[in-house]
Amino acid sequence: MKIVVLKERGVDERRVAAVPETVKKLIGAGHTLVIEPGAGLAAGFPDSAYEEAGASISDAELGSADLVAGVRRPSSETLAKVKEGAGVIGLLEPHSIKESLGDYNARKLLALSMEYTPRITRAQSMDALSSQSNLAGYRAVIEAAELYGRAMPMMMTAAGTVAPAKTFVMGAGVAGLQAIATARRLGAIVSATDVRPAAKEQVASLGGKFIAVEDEEFKAAETAGGYAKQMSEEYQKKQAELTASHIAKQDIVITTALIPGRAAPTLITEDMVKSMKPGSVIIDMAVAMGGNCPLSKADEVVDVNGVKVAGFSNLPARLAADSSSLLAKNIVAFLPLITGENGEFQPNFDDEIVAAMALTRDGETVHASLKEG
């Protein structure tokens, strides 16, 4: 199989879909790798490193590629150069891809969106959302510590004691749990909240204090499949009051809540922001989907009465070397599912992972979420 790795065109995107380590593995498996010039430079991987790993460097091979690998969704101009029937894999942002479906279907491309990797045991090594969210949660705390401008841990000195930073993480998914762990490593006093009762034990295991109205409704707020149930208005009001009083005492708040295909829910109101003391920091990790705080703006730090509200829309790109390495390994783990016995491009559409990730195929849109309406 001939695989072409794209150089990302986005000004804020420093990641790359293959690193020299994974290039060696793929070439060892019999594949041909072509890297667009400068594709890995922003992540610390020069063209020479790819050549040493066995890849060739060219920006004129899209027309002969069996598989095109990128980080973000390729442009219409790029897709127009890809040969008919080829595969395109990456973080294709499926919830906003409808306007681009014609570009894929016109070339009969197999669009494989890594966001739709199913959450099953067999697919864990392919789960790019988790690998990238893990690093995003870590980086969110590092950004918060820099903006906070004070020490995170308690320090006892001859001149006096420095109090530890109080850090509140809203959402205990992959990003939230890593944020909790990182803040704890830096010496902060950490608390967290989540709508799933099972998250309480996870938060506690990392040394955080769980904040929630733990009444009977909360204890029954999870389905057999592990998803959160819709809470009553009465419960939501009680939880909001508890959250508001807790936020007012915090130095750092990190929000992580996202709902697939929908705008991010509001977790922190303007009044909550104004209740925090000057010098406090809010990191809104959901800013790219509208934000968990109405005051946050993408890739800006907004000052609200001395409280810094920061929205970083692409935190993984701020750790480009590591995030690229993990993403590249996710792709390597997935590749056998679209490779035939003789190494050719031959997707196994009977495999549930391939079926879940496929957005378009043979000139048609095949993913159920994109055919609705």
Side-chain angles (χ1 to χ4, degrees), residues 8 13 15 70-74 89-94 112-117 127-129 132 316 327 331:
E8 297 301 312
E13 188 53 78
R15 293 173 290 177
V71 178
R72 305 288 280 274
R73 187 195 311 161
I89 188 169
L91 296 166
L92 302 184
E93 302 160 272
L112 295 162
S113 181
M114 300 188 76
E115 290 95 332
Y116 282 152
T117 305
D127 189 351
L129 275 186
Q132 302 304 291
L327 179 66
I331 293 174

mmCIF file with all atom_site columns, all heavy atoms in Angstrom, residues 8 13 15 70-74 89-94 112-117 127-129 132 316 327 331:
data_model
loop_
_atom_site.group_PDB
_atom_site.id
_atom_site.type_symbol
_atom_site.label_atom_id
_atom_site.label_alt_id
_atom_site.label_comp_id
_atom_site.label_asym_id
_atom_site.label_entity_id
_atom_site.label_seq_id
_atom_site.pdbx_PDB_ins_code
_atom_site.Cartn_x
_atom_site.Cartn_y
_atom_site.Cartn_z
_atom_site.occupancy
_atom_site.B_iso_or_equiv
_atom_site.pdbx_formal_charge
_atom_site.auth_seq_id
_atom_site.auth_comp_id
_atom_site.auth_asym_id
_atom_site.auth_atom_id
_atom_site.pdbx_PDB_model_num
ATOM 1   N N   . GLU A 1 8   ? 0.171   19.558 7.291  1.00 0.00 ? 8   GLU A N   1
ATOM 2   C CA  . GLU A 1 8   ? -1.046  20.263 7.700  1.00 0.00 ? 8   GLU A CA  1
ATOM 3   C C   . GLU A 1 8   ? -1.012  21.722 7.236  1.00 0.00 ? 8   GLU A C   1
ATOM 4   O O   . GLU A 1 8   ? 0.021   22.395 7.315  1.00 0.00 ? 8   GLU A O   1
ATOM 5   C CB  . GLU A 1 8   ? -1.213  20.195 9.217  1.00 0.00 ? 8   GLU A CB  1
ATOM 6   C CG  . GLU A 1 8   ? -1.383  18.785 9.744  1.00 0.00 ? 8   GLU A CG  1
ATOM 7   C CD  . GLU A 1 8   ? -2.583  18.076 9.145  1.00 0.00 ? 8   GLU A CD  1
ATOM 8   O OE1 . GLU A 1 8   ? -3.678  18.679 9.125  1.00 0.00 ? 8   GLU A OE1 1
ATOM 9   O OE2 . GLU A 1 8   ? -2.420  16.914 8.693  1.00 0.00 ? 8   GLU A OE2 1
ATOM 10  N N   . GLU A 1 13  ? -1.964  24.284 13.501 1.00 0.00 ? 13  GLU A N   1
ATOM 11  C CA  . GLU A 1 13  ? -1.791  22.831 13.580 1.00 0.00 ? 13  GLU A CA  1
ATOM 12  C C   . GLU A 1 13  ? -0.336  22.453 13.373 1.00 0.00 ? 13  GLU A C   1
ATOM 13  O O   . GLU A 1 13  ? 0.214   22.592 12.274 1.00 0.00 ? 13  GLU A O   1
ATOM 14  C CB  . GLU A 1 13  ? -2.670  22.130 12.533 1.00 0.00 ? 13  GLU A CB  1
ATOM 15  C CG  . GLU A 1 13  ? -2.695  20.626 12.692 1.00 0.00 ? 13  GLU A CG  1
ATOM 16  C CD  . GLU A 1 13  ? -3.067  20.219 14.112 1.00 0.00 ? 13  GLU A CD  1
ATOM 17  O OE1 . GLU A 1 13  ? -4.268  20.263 14.448 1.00 0.00 ? 13  GLU A OE1 1
ATOM 18  O OE2 . GLU A 1 13  ? -2.141  19.864 14.878 1.00 0.00 ? 13  GLU A OE2 1
ATOM 19  N N   . ARG A 1 15  ? 0.849   19.327 14.487 1.00 0.00 ? 15  ARG A N   1
ATOM 20  C CA  . ARG A 1 15  ? 0.975   17.879 14.512 1.00 0.00 ? 15  ARG A CA  1
ATOM 21  C C   . ARG A 1 15  ? 1.152   17.297 13.102 1.00 0.00 ? 15  ARG A C   1
ATOM 22  O O   . ARG A 1 15  ? 0.900   17.951 12.101 1.00 0.00 ? 15  ARG A O   1
ATOM 23  C CB  . ARG A 1 15  ? -0.265  17.261 15.167 1.00 0.00 ? 15  ARG A CB  1
ATOM 24  C CG  . ARG A 1 15  ? -0.414  17.552 16.629 1.00 0.00 ? 15  ARG A CG  1
ATOM 25  C CD  . ARG A 1 15  ? -1.753  17.060 17.180 1.00 0.00 ? 15  ARG A CD  1
ATOM 26  N NE  . ARG A 1 15  ? -2.869  17.852 16.670 1.00 0.00 ? 15  ARG A NE  1
ATOM 27  C CZ  . ARG A 1 15  ? -4.145  17.603 16.933 1.00 0.00 ? 15  ARG A CZ  1
ATOM 28  N NH1 . ARG A 1 15  ? -4.464  16.554 17.681 1.00 0.00 ? 15  ARG A NH1 1
ATOM 29  N NH2 . ARG A 1 15  ? -5.095  18.378 16.449 1.00 0.00 ? 15  ARG A NH2 1
ATOM 30  N N   . GLY A 1 70  ? -3.701  12.276 7.403  1.00 0.00 ? 70  GLY A N   1
ATOM 31  C CA  . GLY A 1 70  ? -3.509  13.628 7.891  1.00 0.00 ? 70  GLY A CA  1
ATOM 32  C C   . GLY A 1 70  ? -3.992  13.736 9.320  1.00 0.00 ? 70  GLY A C   1
ATOM 33  O O   . GLY A 1 70  ? -4.560  12.788 9.871  1.00 0.00 ? 70  GLY A O   1
ATOM 34  N N   . VAL A 1 71  ? -3.788  14.892 9.907  1.00 0.00 ? 71  VAL A N   1
ATOM 35  C CA  . VAL A 1 71  ? -4.283  15.133 11.259 1.00 0.00 ? 71  VAL A CA  1
ATOM 36  C C   . VAL A 1 71  ? -5.696  15.686 11.189 1.00 0.00 ? 71  VAL A C   1
ATOM 37  O O   . VAL A 1 71  ? -6.635  15.107 11.733 1.00 0.00 ? 71  VAL A O   1
ATOM 38  C CB  . VAL A 1 71  ? -3.362  16.109 12.021 1.00 0.00 ? 71  VAL A CB  1
ATOM 39  C CG1 . VAL A 1 71  ? -3.923  16.382 13.421 1.00 0.00 ? 71  VAL A CG1 1
ATOM 40  C CG2 . VAL A 1 71  ? -1.959  15.544 12.121 1.00 0.00 ? 71  VAL A CG2 1
ATOM 41  N N   . ARG A 1 72  ? -5.870  16.782 10.471 1.00 0.00 ? 72  ARG A N   1
ATOM 42  C CA  . ARG A 1 72  ? -7.172  17.426 10.343 1.00 0.00 ? 72  ARG A CA  1
ATOM 43  C C   . ARG A 1 72  ? -7.758  17.161 8.958  1.00 0.00 ? 72  ARG A C   1
ATOM 44  O O   . ARG A 1 72  ? -7.104  16.634 8.064  1.00 0.00 ? 72  ARG A O   1
ATOM 45  C CB  . ARG A 1 72  ? -7.037  18.938 10.578 1.00 0.00 ? 72  ARG A CB  1
ATOM 46  C CG  . ARG A 1 72  ? -6.381  19.307 11.911 1.00 0.00 ? 72  ARG A CG  1
ATOM 47  C CD  . ARG A 1 72  ? -7.265  19.045 13.095 1.00 0.00 ? 72  ARG A CD  1
ATOM 48  N NE  . ARG A 1 72  ? -8.239  20.106 13.260 1.00 0.00 ? 72  ARG A NE  1
ATOM 49  C CZ  . ARG A 1 72  ? -8.001  21.244 13.926 1.00 0.00 ? 72  ARG A CZ  1
ATOM 50  N NH1 . ARG A 1 72  ? -6.814  21.464 14.462 1.00 0.00 ? 72  ARG A NH1 1
ATOM 51  N NH2 . ARG A 1 72  ? -8.945  22.152 14.058 1.00 0.00 ? 72  ARG A NH2 1
ATOM 52  N N   . ARG A 1 73  ? -8.994  17.570 8.757  1.00 0.00 ? 73  ARG A N   1
ATOM 53  C CA  . ARG A 1 73  ? -9.677  17.354 7.485  1.00 0.00 ? 73  ARG A CA  1
ATOM 54  C C   . ARG A 1 73  ? -8.944  18.069 6.339  1.00 0.00 ? 73  ARG A C   1
ATOM 55  O O   . ARG A 1 73  ? -8.691  19.262 6.404  1.00 0.00 ? 73  ARG A O   1
ATOM 56  C CB  . ARG A 1 73  ? -11.099 17.888 7.572  1.00 0.00 ? 73  ARG A CB  1
ATOM 57  C CG  . ARG A 1 73  ? -11.951 17.562 6.353  1.00 0.00 ? 73  ARG A CG  1
ATOM 58  C CD  . ARG A 1 73  ? -13.209 18.408 6.322  1.00 0.00 ? 73  ARG A CD  1
ATOM 59  N NE  . ARG A 1 73  ? -13.897 18.391 7.604  1.00 0.00 ? 73  ARG A NE  1
ATOM 60  C CZ  . ARG A 1 73  ? -14.796 19.309 7.953  1.00 0.00 ? 73  ARG A CZ  1
ATOM 61  N NH1 . ARG A 1 73  ? -15.086 20.318 7.166  1.00 0.00 ? 73  ARG A NH1 1
ATOM 62  N NH2 . ARG A 1 73  ? -15.403 19.221 9.126  1.00 0.00 ? 73  ARG A NH2 1
ATOM 63  N N   . PRO A 1 74  ? -8.619  17.343 5.256  1.00 0.00 ? 74  PRO A N   1
ATOM 64  C CA  . PRO A 1 74  ? -7.936  17.968 4.113  1.00 0.00 ? 74  PRO A CA  1
ATOM 65  C C   . PRO A 1 74  ? -8.853  18.959 3.398  1.00 0.00 ? 74  PRO A C   1
ATOM 66  O O   . PRO A 1 74  ? -10.084 18.850 3.448  1.00 0.00 ? 74  PRO A O   1
ATOM 67  C CB  . PRO A 1 74  ? -7.609  16.783 3.201  1.00 0.00 ? 74  PRO A CB  1
ATOM 68  C CG  . PRO A 1 74  ? -7.681  15.576 4.086  1.00 0.00 ? 74  PRO A CG  1
ATOM 69  C CD  . PRO A 1 74  ? -8.745  15.889 5.096  1.00 0.00 ? 74  PRO A CD  1
ATOM 70  N N   . ILE A 1 89  ? -7.656  9.195  5.949  1.00 0.00 ? 89  ILE A N   1
ATOM 71  C CA  . ILE A 1 89  ? -7.833  8.960  7.384  1.00 0.00 ? 89  ILE A CA  1
ATOM 72  C C   . ILE A 1 89  ? -7.270  10.127 8.184  1.00 0.00 ? 89  ILE A C   1
ATOM 73  O O   . ILE A 1 89  ? -6.271  10.732 7.814  1.00 0.00 ? 89  ILE A O   1
ATOM 74  C CB  . ILE A 1 89  ? -7.165  7.640  7.824  1.00 0.00 ? 89  ILE A CB  1
ATOM 75  C CG1 . ILE A 1 89  ? -7.532  7.298  9.275  1.00 0.00 ? 89  ILE A CG1 1
ATOM 76  C CG2 . ILE A 1 89  ? -5.647  7.694  7.637  1.00 0.00 ? 89  ILE A CG2 1
ATOM 77  C CD1 . ILE A 1 89  ? -7.125  5.898  9.696  1.00 0.00 ? 89  ILE A CD1 1
ATOM 78  N N   . GLY A 1 90  ? -7.946  10.459 9.275  1.00 0.00 ? 90  GLY A N   1
ATOM 79  C CA  . GLY A 1 90  ? -7.503  11.524 10.156 1.00 0.00 ? 90  GLY A CA  1
ATOM 80  C C   . GLY A 1 90  ? -8.627  11.944 11.076 1.00 0.00 ? 90  GLY A C   1
ATOM 81  O O   . GLY A 1 90  ? -9.673  11.294 11.148 1.00 0.00 ? 90  GLY A O   1
ATOM 82  N N   . LEU A 1 91  ? -8.404  13.029 11.787 1.00 0.00 ? 91  LEU A N   1
ATOM 83  C CA  . LEU A 1 91  ? -9.456  13.615 12.623 1.00 0.00 ? 91  LEU A CA  1
ATOM 84  C C   . LEU A 1 91  ? -10.273 14.522 11.704 1.00 0.00 ? 91  LEU A C   1
ATOM 85  O O   . LEU A 1 91  ? -9.985  15.708 11.557 1.00 0.00 ? 91  LEU A O   1
ATOM 86  C CB  . LEU A 1 91  ? -8.831  14.397 13.782 1.00 0.00 ? 91  LEU A CB  1
ATOM 87  C CG  . LEU A 1 91  ? -8.027  13.537 14.767 1.00 0.00 ? 91  LEU A CG  1
ATOM 88  C CD1 . LEU A 1 91  ? -7.174  14.420 15.682 1.00 0.00 ? 91  LEU A CD1 1
ATOM 89  C CD2 . LEU A 1 91  ? -8.955  12.663 15.607 1.00 0.00 ? 91  LEU A CD2 1
ATOM 90  N N   . LEU A 1 92  ? -11.285 13.965 11.066 1.00 0.00 ? 92  LEU A N   1
ATOM 91  C CA  . LEU A 1 92  ? -12.001 14.635 9.981  1.00 0.00 ? 92  LEU A CA  1
ATOM 92  C C   . LEU A 1 92  ? -13.115 15.561 10.456 1.00 0.00 ? 92  LEU A C   1
ATOM 93  O O   . LEU A 1 92  ? -13.839 16.123 9.644  1.00 0.00 ? 92  LEU A O   1
ATOM 94  C CB  . LEU A 1 92  ? -12.570 13.591 9.012  1.00 0.00 ? 92  LEU A CB  1
ATOM 95  C CG  . LEU A 1 92  ? -11.549 12.639 8.370  1.00 0.00 ? 92  LEU A CG  1
ATOM 96  C CD1 . LEU A 1 92  ? -12.236 11.731 7.362  1.00 0.00 ? 92  LEU A CD1 1
ATOM 97  C CD2 . LEU A 1 92  ? -10.410 13.402 7.719  1.00 0.00 ? 92  LEU A CD2 1
ATOM 98  N N   . GLU A 1 93  ? -13.254 15.731 11.776 1.00 0.00 ? 93  GLU A N   1
ATOM 99  C CA  . GLU A 1 93  ? -14.281 16.622 12.333 1.00 0.00 ? 93  GLU A CA  1
ATOM 100 C C   . GLU A 1 93  ? -15.667 16.312 11.732 1.00 0.00 ? 93  GLU A C   1
ATOM 101 O O   . GLU A 1 93  ? -16.274 17.147 11.090 1.00 0.00 ? 93  GLU A O   1
ATOM 102 C CB  . GLU A 1 93  ? -13.896 18.074 12.068 1.00 0.00 ? 93  GLU A CB  1
ATOM 103 C CG  . GLU A 1 93  ? -12.544 18.446 12.651 1.00 0.00 ? 93  GLU A CG  1
ATOM 104 C CD  . GLU A 1 93  ? -11.927 19.675 12.017 1.00 0.00 ? 93  GLU A CD  1
ATOM 105 O OE1 . GLU A 1 93  ? -11.219 19.533 11.006 1.00 0.00 ? 93  GLU A OE1 1
ATOM 106 O OE2 . GLU A 1 93  ? -12.171 20.780 12.542 1.00 0.00 ? 93  GLU A OE2 1
ATOM 107 N N   . PRO A 1 94  ? -16.145 15.093 11.960 1.00 0.00 ? 94  PRO A N   1
ATOM 108 C CA  . PRO A 1 94  ? -17.367 14.626 11.283 1.00 0.00 ? 94  PRO A CA  1
ATOM 109 C C   . PRO A 1 94  ? -18.613 15.448 11.569 1.00 0.00 ? 94  PRO A C   1
ATOM 110 O O   . PRO A 1 94  ? -19.543 15.464 10.756 1.00 0.00 ? 94  PRO A O   1
ATOM 111 C CB  . PRO A 1 94  ? -17.525 13.191 11.803 1.00 0.00 ? 94  PRO A CB  1
ATOM 112 C CG  . PRO A 1 94  ? -16.791 13.177 13.112 1.00 0.00 ? 94  PRO A CG  1
ATOM 113 C CD  . PRO A 1 94  ? -15.625 14.082 12.896 1.00 0.00 ? 94  PRO A CD  1
ATOM 114 N N   . LEU A 1 112 ? -12.293 7.986  6.489  1.00 0.00 ? 112 LEU A N   1
ATOM 115 C CA  . LEU A 1 112 ? -12.225 7.288  7.776  1.00 0.00 ? 112 LEU A CA  1
ATOM 116 C C   . LEU A 1 112 ? -11.963 8.298  8.881  1.00 0.00 ? 112 LEU A C   1
ATOM 117 O O   . LEU A 1 112 ? -10.870 8.867  8.972  1.00 0.00 ? 112 LEU A O   1
ATOM 118 C CB  . LEU A 1 112 ? -11.122 6.239  7.736  1.00 0.00 ? 112 LEU A CB  1
ATOM 119 C CG  . LEU A 1 112 ? -11.345 5.081  6.752  1.00 0.00 ? 112 LEU A CG  1
ATOM 120 C CD1 . LEU A 1 112 ? -10.042 4.350  6.465  1.00 0.00 ? 112 LEU A CD1 1
ATOM 121 C CD2 . LEU A 1 112 ? -12.391 4.117  7.299  1.00 0.00 ? 112 LEU A CD2 1
ATOM 122 N N   . SER A 1 113 ? -12.963 8.539  9.701  1.00 0.00 ? 113 SER A N   1
ATOM 123 C CA  . SER A 1 113 ? -12.865 9.540  10.757 1.00 0.00 ? 113 SER A CA  1
ATOM 124 C C   . SER A 1 113 ? -12.456 8.891  12.069 1.00 0.00 ? 113 SER A C   1
ATOM 125 O O   . SER A 1 113 ? -13.184 8.058  12.624 1.00 0.00 ? 113 SER A O   1
ATOM 126 C CB  . SER A 1 113 ? -14.205 10.259 10.933 1.00 0.00 ? 113 SER A CB  1
ATOM 127 O OG  . SER A 1 113 ? -14.115 11.242 11.921 1.00 0.00 ? 113 SER A OG  1
ATOM 128 N N   . MET A 1 114 ? -11.303 9.289  12.594 1.00 0.00 ? 114 MET A N   1
ATOM 129 C CA  . MET A 1 114 ? -10.792 8.684  13.812 1.00 0.00 ? 114 MET A CA  1
ATOM 130 C C   . MET A 1 114 ? -11.604 9.071  15.044 1.00 0.00 ? 114 MET A C   1
ATOM 131 O O   . MET A 1 114 ? -11.511 8.413  16.083 1.00 0.00 ? 114 MET A O   1
ATOM 132 C CB  . MET A 1 114 ? -9.325  9.043  13.989 1.00 0.00 ? 114 MET A CB  1
ATOM 133 C CG  . MET A 1 114 ? -8.461  8.556  12.832 1.00 0.00 ? 114 MET A CG  1
ATOM 134 S SD  . MET A 1 114 ? -6.697  8.770  13.103 1.00 0.00 ? 114 MET A SD  1
ATOM 135 C CE  . MET A 1 114 ? -6.375  7.421  14.235 1.00 0.00 ? 114 MET A CE  1
ATOM 136 N N   . GLU A 1 115 ? -12.412 10.129 14.937 1.00 0.00 ? 115 GLU A N   1
ATOM 137 C CA  . GLU A 1 115 ? -13.292 10.482 16.055 1.00 0.00 ? 115 GLU A CA  1
ATOM 138 C C   . GLU A 1 115 ? -14.334 9.402  16.321 1.00 0.00 ? 115 GLU A C   1
ATOM 139 O O   . GLU A 1 115 ? -14.876 9.314  17.425 1.00 0.00 ? 115 GLU A O   1
ATOM 140 C CB  . GLU A 1 115 ? -14.017 11.803 15.775 1.00 0.00 ? 115 GLU A CB  1
ATOM 141 C CG  . GLU A 1 115 ? -13.134 13.023 15.807 1.00 0.00 ? 115 GLU A CG  1
ATOM 142 C CD  . GLU A 1 115 ? -12.635 13.413 14.429 1.00 0.00 ? 115 GLU A CD  1
ATOM 143 O OE1 . GLU A 1 115 ? -12.505 12.517 13.561 1.00 0.00 ? 115 GLU A OE1 1
ATOM 144 O OE2 . GLU A 1 115 ? -12.380 14.607 14.210 1.00 0.00 ? 115 GLU A OE2 1
ATOM 145 N N   . TYR A 1 116 ? -14.644 8.609  15.300 1.00 0.00 ? 116 TYR A N   1
ATOM 146 C CA  . TYR A 1 116 ? -15.680 7.584  15.435 1.00 0.00 ? 116 TYR A CA  1
ATOM 147 C C   . TYR A 1 116 ? -15.118 6.197  15.749 1.00 0.00 ? 116 TYR A C   1
ATOM 148 O O   . TYR A 1 116 ? -15.816 5.196  15.603 1.00 0.00 ? 116 TYR A O   1
ATOM 149 C CB  . TYR A 1 116 ? -16.536 7.526  14.168 1.00 0.00 ? 116 TYR A CB  1
ATOM 150 C CG  . TYR A 1 116 ? -17.554 8.636  14.077 1.00 0.00 ? 116 TYR A CG  1
ATOM 151 C CD1 . TYR A 1 116 ? -18.003 9.097  12.836 1.00 0.00 ? 116 TYR A CD1 1
ATOM 152 C CD2 . TYR A 1 116 ? -18.081 9.228  15.215 1.00 0.00 ? 116 TYR A CD2 1
ATOM 153 C CE1 . TYR A 1 116 ? -18.959 10.107 12.746 1.00 0.00 ? 116 TYR A CE1 1
ATOM 154 C CE2 . TYR A 1 116 ? -19.021 10.240 15.135 1.00 0.00 ? 116 TYR A CE2 1
ATOM 155 C CZ  . TYR A 1 116 ? -19.456 10.670 13.903 1.00 0.00 ? 116 TYR A CZ  1
ATOM 156 O OH  . TYR A 1 116 ? -20.400 11.662 13.816 1.00 0.00 ? 116 TYR A OH  1
ATOM 157 N N   . THR A 1 117 ? -13.862 6.131  16.162 1.00 0.00 ? 117 THR A N   1
ATOM 158 C CA  . THR A 1 117 ? -13.321 4.853  16.616 1.00 0.00 ? 117 THR A CA  1
ATOM 159 C C   . THR A 1 117 ? -14.177 4.361  17.783 1.00 0.00 ? 117 THR A C   1
ATOM 160 O O   . THR A 1 117 ? -14.344 5.074  18.771 1.00 0.00 ? 117 THR A O   1
ATOM 161 C CB  . THR A 1 117 ? -11.869 5.004  17.101 1.00 0.00 ? 117 THR A CB  1
ATOM 162 O OG1 . THR A 1 117 ? -11.085 5.591  16.059 1.00 0.00 ? 117 THR A OG1 1
ATOM 163 C CG2 . THR A 1 117 ? -11.284 3.654  17.482 1.00 0.00 ? 117 THR A CG2 1
ATOM 164 N N   . ASP A 1 127 ? -7.669  4.493  19.440 1.00 0.00 ? 127 ASP A N   1
ATOM 165 C CA  . ASP A 1 127 ? -8.538  5.580  19.908 1.00 0.00 ? 127 ASP A CA  1
ATOM 166 C C   . ASP A 1 127 ? -7.791  6.912  19.965 1.00 0.00 ? 127 ASP A C   1
ATOM 167 O O   . ASP A 1 127 ? -7.191  7.277  20.986 1.00 0.00 ? 127 ASP A O   1
ATOM 168 C CB  . ASP A 1 127 ? -9.096  5.213  21.288 1.00 0.00 ? 127 ASP A CB  1
ATOM 169 C CG  . ASP A 1 127 ? -10.173 6.172  21.767 1.00 0.00 ? 127 ASP A CG  1
ATOM 170 O OD1 . ASP A 1 127 ? -10.375 7.220  21.109 1.00 0.00 ? 127 ASP A OD1 1
ATOM 171 O OD2 . ASP A 1 127 ? -10.807 5.890  22.788 1.00 0.00 ? 127 ASP A OD2 1
ATOM 172 N N   . ALA A 1 128 ? -7.853  7.651  18.873 1.00 0.00 ? 128 ALA A N   1
ATOM 173 C CA  . ALA A 1 128 ? -7.134  8.924  18.788 1.00 0.00 ? 128 ALA A CA  1
ATOM 174 C C   . ALA A 1 128 ? -7.743  10.000 19.675 1.00 0.00 ? 128 ALA A C   1
ATOM 175 O O   . ALA A 1 128 ? -7.017  10.854 20.204 1.00 0.00 ? 128 ALA A O   1
ATOM 176 C CB  . ALA A 1 128 ? -7.110  9.407  17.333 1.00 0.00 ? 128 ALA A CB  1
ATOM 177 N N   . LEU A 1 129 ? -9.048  9.977  19.842 1.00 0.00 ? 129 LEU A N   1
ATOM 178 C CA  . LEU A 1 129 ? -9.662  10.979 20.713 1.00 0.00 ? 129 LEU A CA  1
ATOM 179 C C   . LEU A 1 129 ? -9.109  10.871 22.124 1.00 0.00 ? 129 LEU A C   1
ATOM 180 O O   . LEU A 1 129 ? -8.801  11.883 22.765 1.00 0.00 ? 129 LEU A O   1
ATOM 181 C CB  . LEU A 1 129 ? -11.187 10.809 20.743 1.00 0.00 ? 129 LEU A CB  1
ATOM 182 C CG  . LEU A 1 129 ? -12.000 11.484 19.640 1.00 0.00 ? 129 LEU A CG  1
ATOM 183 C CD1 . LEU A 1 129 ? -13.493 11.327 19.926 1.00 0.00 ? 129 LEU A CD1 1
ATOM 184 C CD2 . LEU A 1 129 ? -11.648 12.953 19.501 1.00 0.00 ? 129 LEU A CD2 1
ATOM 185 N N   . GLN A 1 132 ? -5.308  11.993 22.266 1.00 0.00 ? 132 GLN A N   1
ATOM 186 C CA  . GLN A 1 132 ? -5.143  13.439 22.156 1.00 0.00 ? 132 GLN A CA  1
ATOM 187 C C   . GLN A 1 132 ? -5.747  14.160 23.367 1.00 0.00 ? 132 GLN A C   1
ATOM 188 O O   . GLN A 1 132 ? -5.193  15.158 23.852 1.00 0.00 ? 132 GLN A O   1
ATOM 189 C CB  . GLN A 1 132 ? -5.770  13.946 20.864 1.00 0.00 ? 132 GLN A CB  1
ATOM 190 C CG  . GLN A 1 132 ? -5.206  13.302 19.603 1.00 0.00 ? 132 GLN A CG  1
ATOM 191 C CD  . GLN A 1 132 ? -3.699  13.445 19.466 1.00 0.00 ? 132 GLN A CD  1
ATOM 192 O OE1 . GLN A 1 132 ? -3.182  14.536 19.247 1.00 0.00 ? 132 GLN A OE1 1
ATOM 193 N NE2 . GLN A 1 132 ? -2.963  12.344 19.592 1.00 0.00 ? 132 GLN A NE2 1
ATOM 194 N N   . PRO A 1 316 ? -3.592  19.857 22.061 1.00 0.00 ? 316 PRO A N   1
ATOM 195 C CA  . PRO A 1 316 ? -2.629  18.825 21.674 1.00 0.00 ? 316 PRO A CA  1
ATOM 196 C C   . PRO A 1 316 ? -1.507  19.351 20.777 1.00 0.00 ? 316 PRO A C   1
ATOM 197 O O   . PRO A 1 316 ? -0.379  18.862 20.841 1.00 0.00 ? 316 PRO A O   1
ATOM 198 C CB  . PRO A 1 316 ? -3.499  17.802 20.928 1.00 0.00 ? 316 PRO A CB  1
ATOM 199 C CG  . PRO A 1 316 ? -4.850  17.962 21.527 1.00 0.00 ? 316 PRO A CG  1
ATOM 200 C CD  . PRO A 1 316 ? -4.981  19.441 21.776 1.00 0.00 ? 316 PRO A CD  1
ATOM 201 N N   . LEU A 1 327 ? -0.805  9.849  17.892 1.00 0.00 ? 327 LEU A N   1
ATOM 202 C CA  . LEU A 1 327 ? -1.744  9.775  16.773 1.00 0.00 ? 327 LEU A CA  1
ATOM 203 C C   . LEU A 1 327 ? -1.220  8.835  15.699 1.00 0.00 ? 327 LEU A C   1
ATOM 204 O O   . LEU A 1 327 ? -1.972  8.023  15.140 1.00 0.00 ? 327 LEU A O   1
ATOM 205 C CB  . LEU A 1 327 ? -1.974  11.175 16.193 1.00 0.00 ? 327 LEU A CB  1
ATOM 206 C CG  . LEU A 1 327 ? -2.914  11.253 14.992 1.00 0.00 ? 327 LEU A CG  1
ATOM 207 C CD1 . LEU A 1 327 ? -4.335  10.860 15.407 1.00 0.00 ? 327 LEU A CD1 1
ATOM 208 C CD2 . LEU A 1 327 ? -2.906  12.664 14.404 1.00 0.00 ? 327 LEU A CD2 1
ATOM 209 N N   . ILE A 1 331 ? -2.901  5.284  14.180 1.00 0.00 ? 331 ILE A N   1
ATOM 210 C CA  . ILE A 1 331 ? -3.105  4.948  12.766 1.00 0.00 ? 331 ILE A CA  1
ATOM 211 C C   . ILE A 1 331 ? -2.450  3.616  12.425 1.00 0.00 ? 331 ILE A C   1
ATOM 212 O O   . ILE A 1 331 ? -3.035  2.783  11.725 1.00 0.00 ? 331 ILE A O   1
ATOM 213 C CB  . ILE A 1 331 ? -2.560  6.074  11.867 1.00 0.00 ? 331 ILE A CB  1
ATOM 214 C CG1 . ILE A 1 331 ? -3.407  7.352  12.047 1.00 0.00 ? 331 ILE A CG1 1
ATOM 215 C CG2 . ILE A 1 331 ? -2.567  5.665  10.395 1.00 0.00 ? 331 ILE A CG2 1
ATOM 216 C CD1 . ILE A 1 331 ? -2.882  8.568  11.314 1.00 0.00 ? 331 ILE A CD1 1
#
